[in-house]
């Protein structure tokens, strides 16, 4: 469970590695708060803060975004909607020097976004990319439940 007092942004750092990897877990947004992002899964470069994010956003929007090193959203993928209380299988794959993909699979099927390394040079500049899960907490605390986490690297 990822939870914190109102106004906080709790985070769980899952992996930092120079290797290619695939990580997966089940996530369920228990509550939503207006204006808050209940769950953001960040595949990011610690050197320049560029990232490829899977966002369970306010109002049930499911999106992926490519954020450049200066915080500008370079690309936004609208992946449809998600439902609070429903578990989603989240999968993140990082293929060093090749590409990355983010997906969420639920009752409506799998939604996926992917990028090639040449489309995101600031992100793929990372020697050791990181995978982090973050929740923005509003006035009412949303609950994020993750279970069954697994990671493999090659």
């Amino acid at each position: 469970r990822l939870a914190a007092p109102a106004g906080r942004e709790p985070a769980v750092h899952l992996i930092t590695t120079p290797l290619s990897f695939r990580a997966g877990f089940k996530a369920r947004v228990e509550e939503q708060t207006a204006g808050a992002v209940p769950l953001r899964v960040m595949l990011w470069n610690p050197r320049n803060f560029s990232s490829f994010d899977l966002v369970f956003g306010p109002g049930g929007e499911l999106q992926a975004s490519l954020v450049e090193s200066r915080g500008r959203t370079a690309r936004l993928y609208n992946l449809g909607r998600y439902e609070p209380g429903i578990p989603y299988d989240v999968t993140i794959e990082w293929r060093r020097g090749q590409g990355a993909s983010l997906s969420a699979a639920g009752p409506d099927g799998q939604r996926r976004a992917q990028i090639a390394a040449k489309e995101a040079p600031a992100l793929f500049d990372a020697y050791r990319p990181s995978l982090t899960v973050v929740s923005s907490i509003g006035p009412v605390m949303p609950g994020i439940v993750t279970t069954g986490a697994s990671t493999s690297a090659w």
Side-chain angles (χ1 to χ4, degrees):
R1 179 177 290 269
L2 184 59
R8 304 295 180 163
E9 288 191 351
V12 176
H13 181 71
L14 301 174
I15 187 171
T16 297
T17 180
L19 304 174
S20 295
F21 66 87
R22 180 183 174 104
F25 56 88
K26 285 194 179 293
R28 184 178 74 239
V29 174
E30 293 182 335
E31 297 175 31
Q32 291 180 335
T33 302
V37 175
L39 179 63
R40 177 181 302 269
V41 180
M42 299 175 58
L43 179 56
W44 62 288
N45 182 342
R47 289 180 41 198
N48 62 26
F49 300 105
S50 58
S51 65
F52 189 38
D53 303 343
L54 181 63
V55 181
F56 289 75
E61 297 175 354
L62 181 62
Q63 298 178 321
S65 63
L66 175 61
V67 179
E68 293 184 338
S69 57
R70 298 189 191 265
R72 183 181 75 83
T73 300
R75 184 177 295 165
L76 187 64
Y77 304 77
N78 289 311
L79 303 177
R81 302 189 60 74
Y82 72 91
E83 291 293 325
I86 303 294
Y88 289 84
D89 291 312
V90 174
T91 304
I92 303 91
E93 188 170 352
W94 171 265
R95 295 173 311 282
R96 183 164 216 47
Q98 297 175 16
S101 65
L102 307 167
S103 69
D108 296 339
Q110 184 180 45
R111 294 82 169 279
R112 183 175 180 189
Q114 58 187 15
I115 56 168
K118 65 182 177 185
E119 297 174 285
L123 178 62
F124 282 85
D125 178 33
Y127 174 65
R128 289 188 171 103
S130 295
L131 180 60
T132 303
V133 177
V134 181
S135 178
S136 295
I137 307 300
V140 177
M141 182 175 59
I144 308 301
V145 176
T146 60
T147 59
S150 67
T151 304
S152 61
W154 62 94

